[in-house]
Amino acid sequence: MFARLLLLFLFVAAPQPAGAQVAAAADSGDTGWMMICAVMVLLAALPGLMLRHLALVNVRNGLAIAAPTAAVAAGVSLAWGIAGYSLAYAPGSDWLGGGANLLLAQLGTLREGLTVPESAFVLFQMSLAIFAACLLPGALAERARLGWITALAPLWLILVYAPVVHWVWGGGWLAGLGVMDFAGALVVHVTAGFSALALTLIIGRRRSSPNGGHAPLLGMAGGALIWVGWAAIVGGWALGATDDAATAILNSHFGACAAALTWMAVDRLTGGRSSATGVMSGALAGLVAVSASAALIGMGGAILTGIAAVLICRAGKALIAKGMDDAADIFVIHGLGGLTGMLLMPVMVLPALGGVGFEPAITLGGALTSQAVGIVVVALWSMVGSAVAALILSVILPMRGTAQKESDGLDSVQHGQQGWDFR
């Protein structure tokens, strides 16, 4: 009898899985989806942006775009893990997250309110940060020194990008004002686009005349990788393998298709021929714009958003062509494209256009006002913050080399190699 009682006591006293813990377990399907999306966004950011941007420069500067893109991705990844995630998402004030997750400490078994581990959420958010930062070398192509742009990117992440993430996605003050951004039209693209505007104005124009790029086929391949990877950007922001994810992917694709054909048509009407690389520029403009509302609109709204984004981007490009030298049109495609998507979002989500509509407490006028405030604040913050970071860093590291070095080609000057060897 004593032996039986002892066995019963040991069984009862042994640690047992609590019912609440079982109910709160991560969903393996949602977790797998988030991890796959993160890897696909990295595919869009690294080979995708790298190929697209290096194709747009002189043949002697291809490596000088590829290497900074890889270096920026490495530096931003470390900065995100050390402090960026905590400043963006840890509990803090309306303006900035706290220090609870510095060095990714104290991550939860589940991200609060989700069905995925917080580590999977961190991974996906890091891939978005890398994508945003890897846009900057493209804007500064054929000028920025490797050391300067490598050091600037982590500083930019901490000073500019992480606060914007907290304001909009981390429960900060812009979210409190009602600013809505489903998958990064504001947080990723307006931030990177207007940062590129400030940085290109500071660093100045290229000393050699832009030649339109040396490898259009590589640019097409890179653009295609970005297009495919965009499914992960918008689908991942559904935060699970759900109907919202599929809807977001469909709408972003429809918007990209409409935008690509619109860019081709504008090329044909204005220049007599449709640029092959312009097809990808149009698709990217559509993808950027639809990101604001991808899971919240219908097919009609996605198509109209893509068309409007191209018209706004092309008009902006014509107006600023002589005022700035943005080698990869980062400001035009991402800055103006994101701005367009954010402003159109309140209209495109109306049920009359197939959208999900607003909650009863939200009016169309109020939503438009909130979106406009968000755009102005983020654009100004991005420009001022980027300018401050760039100028402070330039005291320690020169932004660009001599005219002779740029004339010789940055591949050989910075790396002692050539991107292409036909011996």
Side-chain angles (χ1 to χ4, degrees), residues 11 86 92 189 284 340 346 375:
F11 176 79
S86 191
H189 302 287
L284 291 179
T340 303
I375 291 167

Side-chain angles (χ1 to χ4, degrees), residues 227 252-262 283:
W227 191 339
S252 66
H253 184 69
F254 291 141
C257 293
L261 296 176
T262 302

Side-chain angles (χ1 to χ4, degrees), residues 27 29-31 33-35 37-38 41 111 113-116 121 124-125 128 169 181-184 230-250 291 293-296:
D27 184 281
D30 290 344
T31 302
W33 172 248
M34 290 289 291
M35 293 171 67
C37 285
V41 176
R111 172 69 185 175
L114 303 180
T115 58
V116 300
F121 184 76
F124 178 70
Q125 292 296 324
L128 295 179
W169 289 337
D181 179 17
F182 177 74
W230 218 280
I233 294 176
V234 296
W237 254 116
L239 302 174
T242 63
D243 176 63
D244 282 347
T247 299
I249 293 171
L250 279 172
S291 295
S293 54
L296 310 174

